[in-house]
């Protein structure tokens, strides 16, 4: 290619790599040679020289079933993939479903096959974030392990969103408000539970353990938790669920128990996913900008890859309550619905 362009190999290399230290005449000659020869840069050779792979790993330590049943994941992946594609990099989706897959991923990361890692669905005792810190791999989390998270992360305002949801139920005249919380080894679940309790305390209603049921972020888990709450506290008149998927399961359990939603029991979810708009009645839910969370995560990671010593950043994006038929603004409208 250099011979065809009539320039030195070093000049051709700089031109192909976008260096500004090349004259416009030489750059144009190299571009003509590239077009004529159909030249494509050798990624492996580039990686050897630059120590870059131009690949980002998006790691999800969850089962395949949950990945494809939970709209949150698809929206995050969509946001991440748009930013990574715009940066002309490759996105690798890696599921970690068991200890064997965790060991293989650890070996893969130790061999520096990717420039950075996005970790979605963070569990408190997951060893991966600590490993990534030890390896010095640029890493951004979707969520965080706890309040003192040391890595960069992006999350929605889980505490504020949950508090707003429960305040809405209190304002609608609900007095026995239960919650179905997510697994407490995840900060997202603990924070939403804290927001629920905060709203009750602010309203002078002491939160009690009999109104809290912990489950997983699945429809089956939501249904099981709802049935347990009805057995333990049959007089509940509202439920805040830590996800729309769990709320869908809770809705089916309420219907099977002969409870009308929202007349007997108001129901609120979290995420404002496509599920919220397709239940009957449509689900009141806390909207968080999931796709934007994905885009923000990718931008933070790409910045870290470009500047490894860049200070870590931690972003909390705002949420808002979207009111629909499952939890209208007051009991009067519930009775009319």
């Amino acid at each position: 290619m250099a011979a065809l362009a009539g320039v030195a190999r070093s000049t051709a290399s700089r031109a192909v790599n976008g260096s500004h230290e090349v004259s416009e005449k030489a750059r144009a000659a190299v571009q003509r040679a590239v077009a004529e020869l159909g030249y494509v840069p050798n990624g492996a050779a580039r990686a050897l020289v630059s120590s870059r792979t131009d690949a980002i790993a998006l790691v999800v330590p969850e089962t395949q079933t949950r990945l494809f049943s939970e709209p949150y994941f698809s929206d995050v992946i969509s946001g991440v993939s748009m930013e990574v594609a715009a940066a002309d990099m490759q996105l690798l989706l890696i599921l970690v479903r068991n200890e064997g897959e965790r060991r293989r991923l650890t070996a893969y990361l130790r061999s520096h096959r990717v420039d950075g890692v996005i970790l979605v669905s963070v569990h408190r005792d997951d060893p991966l974030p600590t490993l990534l810190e030890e390896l010095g791999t640029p890493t951004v989390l979707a969520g965080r392990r706890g309040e003192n998270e040391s890595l960069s992360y992006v999350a929605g305002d889980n505490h504020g969103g949950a508090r707003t949801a429960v305040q809405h139920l209190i304002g609608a005249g609900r007095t026995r408000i239960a919650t179905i919380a997510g697994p407490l080894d995840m900060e997202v679940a603990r924070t939403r539970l804290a927001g629920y309790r905060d709203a009750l305390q602010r309203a002078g209603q002491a939160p009690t353990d009999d109104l809290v049921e912990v489950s997983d972020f699945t429809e089956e888990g939501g249904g099981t938790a709802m049935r347990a709450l009805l057995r333990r506290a049959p007089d509940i008149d509202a439920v805040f669920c830590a996800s729309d998927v769990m709320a869908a399961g809770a809705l089916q359990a309420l219907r099977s128990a002969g409870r009308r939603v929202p007349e007997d029991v108001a129901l609120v979810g979290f995420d404002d996913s496509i599920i919220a708009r397709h239940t009957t009645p449509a689900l009141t839910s806390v909207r968080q900008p999931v796709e934007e969370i994905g885009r923000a995560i990718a931008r933070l990671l790409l910045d870290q890859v470009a500047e490894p010593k860049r200070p870590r950043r931690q972003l909390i994006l705002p949420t808002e309550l979207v009111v629909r038929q499952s939890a209208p603004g007051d009991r009067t409208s519930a009775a009319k619905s």
Side-chain angles (χ1 to χ4, degrees), residues 74 187 212 299:
S74 60
E187 171 71 3
V212 176
R299 288 193 294 266

Side-chain angles (χ1 to χ4, degrees), residues 230 233-236 251 253-261 264-265:
L230 289 173
D235 59 338
I236 58 175
L251 181 60
L254 286 166
R255 184 172 291 131
S256 296
R259 303 298 179 91
R260 298 171 301 165
V261 176
D264 301 325
V265 180

